[in-house]
Amino acid sequence: TAEELQDRIADDLATLLAERFDESRDEASPAPPPPSSVFTRLPAADTRIIGREGAIQEIIGVLGDRSTRVVTLVGPGGIGKSRLSIAVAEAVAPLFPDGTVFVPLENVLEPGLLLSTIGYALGIRETTGLQLEERMTIALGNRRILFVLDNFEQLVSAAPVLVRLFDIAPDAAFLVTSRVVLRIRGERVFDVEPLATHDPASPESTGRARTAPAVELFTERARAADSQFELTDANLPAVVGICRVLEGVPLALELAAARIRMLSPADLLRRLDRQLPLLVAAARDVPGRQRTLRSTIQWSTELLDDSSCRLLTELAVFAPGFTLDSIEAMGRIRGWNFDVVESIETLVDSSLVQRQDIDGQPGFSLLVSVREYGMEQLSATGQEDAARDAHAAVYTAVARAEALDLGSDRQLAAVGRLTLERGNLRAAVRHLVSRADAETACDVAWRLFVFWWVGGYLMEVSVWLEEILERTGAAASSREHAIVAFYVGWRDMWSTHRPGIAAALLDAAEEFESEGDLLGVAMATTTAGVAEINSSAPDVAAALGWLHEGAEAFRRIQAGWGECLAMVALGRIALLGARLDEATELFRRGAEASRASGERFAGTVALHHIGRMMLLADRLDEAEDAYLESLSGSVALRHEEGIAYCLEGLSAVAARRRDARRAGLLAGAAASIRARTAAIEPAVFVYHLRFLDGLRSTDAAAELAAAEVEGGELGAFEAARYAAERAPHLAPVHANA
């Protein structure tokens, strides 16, 4: 009958197809494959994979779960998804005894061709008779196969086809590389991250960055381009700098390394201000879309709808680390007529915008190369100035809103938000300066004084403000003149002994008073007292008078942080006069003023001074407690200068206890922070060294010296965590704070 004939043809066809697949595994192979195997045909890897060992093991673990059907490796162009997929397929082979099928999709542009392309890779051709899906069902049966589908992004609308394949090949698994998340049932997404450019525990250490995967990759590829290239102590800083500028993107690193035949690492680093023109592949066999970073990015943007493409372009004015609130605020100013959440989600799914959580706060960033490409598009359309104006307006509003909390018990949250978007705040102020908008620039600078101090930006802000005063000249208001004078005076009193700083600050106080700015009066008067005591021939009585006047002014307006800092300044004068009891009392009054207002920053300053007094009194346990409490607050605020002060104090406590290793580690870490941030303590107040010197004259000198060198390689938060291990009763200190 016709039915019997159909059954027999189906059986014969299944047998023929199975034999065809066995034969197609490798026609050049001298020995036939095992009968149970289909075939394994992976592209040859022409370079070894670097820095992906952990990722490979994690993906193998996911694929080892037979309930896993699809693992999608997602990341931007050039991040190394294809190379990683090949390495995973090679490593996972024992879990798929029937073989691996590699399906390149980069030249497949029609979604309707997906299934036939997979069938073609299997050796199945579309002919008359049975439908392709039926043929694949017969051929695959219950075979345990891994399909590697490479470069899926332009076929994402065909992703539901994979769900149909779940039924066709019930024991198969799919490893997909894509710049876009597929969003289908059964998908497990694995984000392929850039290669690490440093030791995460010590981000600023060049020595520890030598073994970072990005540095290793660059070095290996540079040696392939120039056999004479070697990584040396002399060129290490430049190589590390290249890897950091290129953000650990493997394609960018490989393109840069190819230039080593013509440029030294130092020359290459200098030329990376604009990445896209420089990074062009020399290799002729590189796919066209990866011959330059620009073409790689353009390939991705061509897959976007108009709304997402516009959003990506306008996000180019943002510095790394911006929030959804800021994006939406930008959209309101720019009049975007699309759903911002939906479009940013598309960009994240497309690996063009990176999302990361920082202390529980979601933030977004663009790779430098993507941002540079976006700026080119903005400039070409004449929209750059308008976009930058809108960006500055967004962050002016952020600054004014968060500034209200900087002196209160909401200080940590405000500093956290501002820290997350600090690059954008700085970019906004710089744009305001370039626009000669003195009123707004000075207002933002003034409101964020505490944040600039915590973040270590006070010197930078003073330079901005001097520039804007030069641009506006006589047009600047008295308040703007006062703000600039304050910042310049603050800067110069620590770095010079030029005469007249205190007088200029007192003039600024009068201008603030004429404007009704009581906080400005308190800050300028107090700072005049500090400047006077730092001068080459100080009038101590005058300095004390201005400090007491400033403290009282802060007290009247209930600015506890300012009162605290004024008390600390008075205490330091008492300390210089060897009035130790008076100094201790002033430091304690400062700490109490800070606690009463709920803020923590000024309190950390008072606490490490209290620790110093306890140390001088040989009350080591009380000194350690004060330093550790101050350290906890400094870490929470990410205030590295405060961390350095506390580490120095704790090193002195350790030295007093003859713990040479702990003393050396903490002192070395503190010295490294100060060298990197240029946060130098006046010599008259440096006290911990005398305690270390006491150990240098003993048999612990060698251990101390070695520990100082080791400590110099510790990151600030890594060193803080080490220090806090001796105080489990305090809140834990996180290395990634």
Side-chain angles (χ1 to χ4, degrees):
T1 65
E3 289 77 16
E4 289 172 338
L5 180 60
Q6 181 175 334
D7 289 341
R8 293 193 180 195
I9 291 174
D11 290 341
D12 290 346
L13 188 60
T15 301
L16 287 170
L17 287 172
E19 290 172 353
R20 168 69 184 274
F21 299 157
D22 285 344
E23 291 167 0
S24 70
R25 183 171 190 259
D26 189 349
E27 294 177 358
S29 176
S36 63
S37 177
V38 177
F39 55 82
T40 299
R41 185 177 294 160
L42 291 170
D46 52 0
T47 58
R48 73 183 182 95
I49 193 163
I50 294 173
R52 301 298 192 191
E53 297 79 9
I56 291 171
Q57 291 306 310
E58 185 176 346
I59 298 166
I60 289 174
V62 175
L63 287 170
D65 181 353
R66 292 182 73 95
S67 66
T68 297
R69 302 310 308 273
V70 180
V71 175
T72 307
L73 307 184
V74 176
I79 205 69
K81 301 182 294 296
S82 297
R83 182 66 185 87
L84 177 58
S85 73
I86 294 170
V88 169
E90 291 171 341
V92 83
L95 298 179
F96 295 91
D98 294 316
T100 300
V101 181
F102 187 88
V103 186
L105 297 171
E106 66 177 81
N107 294 318
V108 182
L109 304 178
E110 295 295 330
L113 296 178
L114 175 60
L115 196 61
S116 59
T117 303
I118 295 173
Y120 194 94
L122 283 165
I124 300 174
R125 304 296 182 263
E126 289 198 78
T127 61
T128 58
L130 294 177
Q131 294 295 316
L132 178 59
E133 292 186 30
E134 294 178 89
R135 290 168 174 270
M136 294 176 70
T137 302
I138 293 168
L140 295 175
N142 293 320
R143 293 178 184 272
R144 181 68 172 153
I145 298 173
L146 176 66
F147 288 90
V148 180
L149 309 182
D150 191 40
N151 291 301
F152 201 96
E153 52 271 357
Q154 75 276 10
L155 300 173
V156 70
S157 64
V161 171
L162 296 186
V163 179
R164 283 156 50 195
L165 285 172
F166 295 171
D167 295 327
I168 293 173
D171 283 333
F174 299 85
L175 180 62
V176 180
T177 74
S178 175
R179 303 184 192 189
V180 184
V181 177
L182 306 188
R183 295 193 177 276
I184 59 173
R185 172 168 55 86
E187 181 184 24
R188 298 279 296 275
V189 177
F190 184 91
D191 289 306
V192 182
E193 303 288 347
L195 296 177
T197 60
H198 55 266
D199 184 332
S202 185
E204 303 300 330
S205 170
T206 299
R208 286 168 68 169
R210 178 187 287 270
T211 58
V215 175
E216 186 180 355
L217 176 67
F218 179 88
T219 302
E220 183 170 290
R221 301 300 189 263
R223 195 174 292 126
D226 180 358
S227 60
Q228 303 301 311
F229 179 81
E230 294 292 338
L231 186 64
T232 66
D233 290 341
N235 65 24
L236 176 62
V239 170
V240 172
I242 291 167
C243 294
R244 288 175 176 169
V245 169
L246 298 179
E247 300 176 294
V249 176
L251 175 60
L253 294 169
E254 293 184 4
L255 295 176
R259 298 292 177 212
I260 285 296
R261 289 181 61 84
M262 296 294 296
L263 300 170
S264 71
D267 290 334
L268 182 57
L269 179 59
R270 280 194 296 271
R271 293 167 183 264
L272 282 176
D273 283 344
R274 283 183 54 78
Q275 297 181 10
L276 298 182
L278 180 66
L279 301 182
V280 181
R284 294 180 176 85
D285 60 344
V286 175
R289 63 188 172 80
Q290 290 190 350
R291 289 297 301 274
T292 70
L293 274 184
R294 179 182 283 103
S295 59
T296 299
I297 298 164
Q298 186 172 350
W299 166 272
S300 296
T301 60
E302 288 172 353
L303 303 175
L304 299 174
D305 58 45
D306 291 344
S307 297
S308 298
C309 204
R310 180 183 177 186
L311 177 59
L312 178 67
T313 300
E314 300 221 7
L315 289 180
V317 298
F318 284 80
F322 49 90
T323 65
L324 182 58
D325 287 344
S326 296
I327 301 171
E328 290 179 320
M330 176 85 160
R332 288 190 290 272
I333 296 172
R334 294 287 286 152
W336 296 341
N337 59 354
F338 53 84
D339 187 319
V340 171
V341 174
E342 182 177 321
S343 292
I344 194 70
E345 186 176 41
T346 297
L347 294 177
V348 171
D349 283 353
S350 301
S351 304
L352 289 164
V353 170
Q354 298 171 303
R355 184 190 183 281
Q356 56 186 158
D357 286 336
I358 304 174
D359 292 343
Q361 298 184 75
F364 300 93
S365 297
L366 276 67
L367 291 173
V368 171
S369 52
V370 176
R371 192 160 61 250
E372 186 176 322
Y373 178 84
M375 289 304 302
E376 289 181 355
Q377 308 310 304
L378 272 180
S379 179
T381 57
Q383 291 296 308
E384 181 179 350
D385 286 344
R388 289 195 182 280
D389 287 344
H391 175 270
V394 168
Y395 285 97
T396 296
V398 168
R400 288 170 172 164
E402 298 297 336
L404 298 173
D405 293 337
L406 283 175
S408 73
D409 56 1
R410 296 181 296 277
Q411 184 183 69
L412 285 181
V415 169
R417 167 75 191 279
L418 294 169
T419 299
L420 175 64
E421 303 205 64
R422 62 189 179 277
N424 286 290
L425 287 164
R426 295 163 73 193
V429 176
R430 284 196 297 269
H431 180 68
L432 292 169
V433 171
S434 72
R435 288 291 208 197
D437 185 349
E439 180 181 0
T440 309
C442 289
D443 185 60
V444 170
W446 186 240
R447 289 171 183 267
L448 295 185
F449 172 77
V450 170
F451 173 70
W452 300 133
W453 189 352
V454 171
Y457 301 125
L458 287 175
M459 301 298 179
E460 184 178 339
V461 175
S462 69
V463 172
W464 299 340
L465 296 184
E466 277 188 311
E467 180 182 342
I468 203 165
L469 201 59
E470 290 174 4
R471 287 172 176 266
T472 55
S477 69
S478 60
R479 183 169 186 269
E480 289 152 18
H481 274 287
I483 291 170
V484 176
F486 173 84
Y487 272 101
V488 171
W490 179 278
R491 177 194 66 196
D492 290 353
M493 74 179 179
W494 300 112
S495 56
T496 71
H497 292 295
R498 68 173 176 84
I501 297 176
L505 286 163
L506 292 173
D507 288 342
E510 290 183 4
E511 288 184 293
F512 279 125
E513 189 168 19
S514 69
E515 295 285 333
D517 188 336
L518 299 182
L519 179 61
V521 173
M523 290 174 66
T525 304
T526 301
T527 306
V530 176
E532 181 63 29
I533 210 67
N534 282 343
S535 66
S536 55
D539 182 337
V540 177
L544 288 171
W546 294 327
L547 285 168
H548 280 293
E549 185 180 339
E552 179 57 33
F554 279 121
R555 194 175 299 118
R556 283 196 301 270
I557 60 175
Q558 297 182 324
W561 64 270
E563 182 184 353
C564 174
L565 294 174
M567 290 293 103
V568 168
L570 288 166
R572 284 166 74 101
I573 294 174
L575 180 59
L576 286 174
R579 301 188 302 278
L580 303 189
D581 289 343
E582 180 185 344
T584 302
E585 175 59 24
L586 287 166
F587 295 146
R588 292 193 187 280
R589 285 172 58 190
E592 289 167 5
S594 169
R595 290 193 187 99
S597 67
E599 73 87 42
R600 295 189 69 179
F601 166 62
T604 66
V605 178
L607 280 165
H608 72 67
H609 279 86
I610 292 170
R612 179 180 310 193
M613 303 313 297
M614 296 302 98
L615 177 66
L616 295 176
D618 208 28
R619 293 155 63 175
L620 300 185
D621 288 347
E622 293 176 68
E624 186 172 52
D625 283 345
Y627 285 129
L628 286 168
E629 186 178 350
S630 178
L631 179 65
S632 178
S634 294
V635 167
L637 290 161
R638 302 163 187 80
H639 182 218
E640 291 197 64
E641 184 181 4
I643 291 173
Y645 275 118
C646 296
L647 295 179
E648 288 167 348
L650 290 167
S651 76
V653 171
R656 190 72 182 81
R657 291 171 172 163
R658 304 188 65 80
D659 186 342
R661 175 168 172 75
R662 180 174 171 82
L665 280 170
L666 297 177
S672 177
I673 294 170
R674 288 198 181 280
R676 175 168 48 79
T677 61
I680 307 302
E681 172 79 328
V684 68
F685 286 110
V686 176
Y687 66 97
H688 69 290
L689 295 180
R690 75 185 75 164
F691 295 94
L692 296 176
D693 290 342
L695 281 180
R696 297 190 205 282
S697 59
T698 70
D699 56 5
E703 182 182 9
L704 176 66
E708 285 182 286
V709 173
E710 185 179 347
E713 288 294 310
L714 294 178
F717 300 105
E718 185 181 23
R721 187 175 64 247
Y722 168 80
E725 287 172 355
R726 296 283 291 269
H729 59 287
L730 292 179
V733 174
H734 300 289
N736 65 344

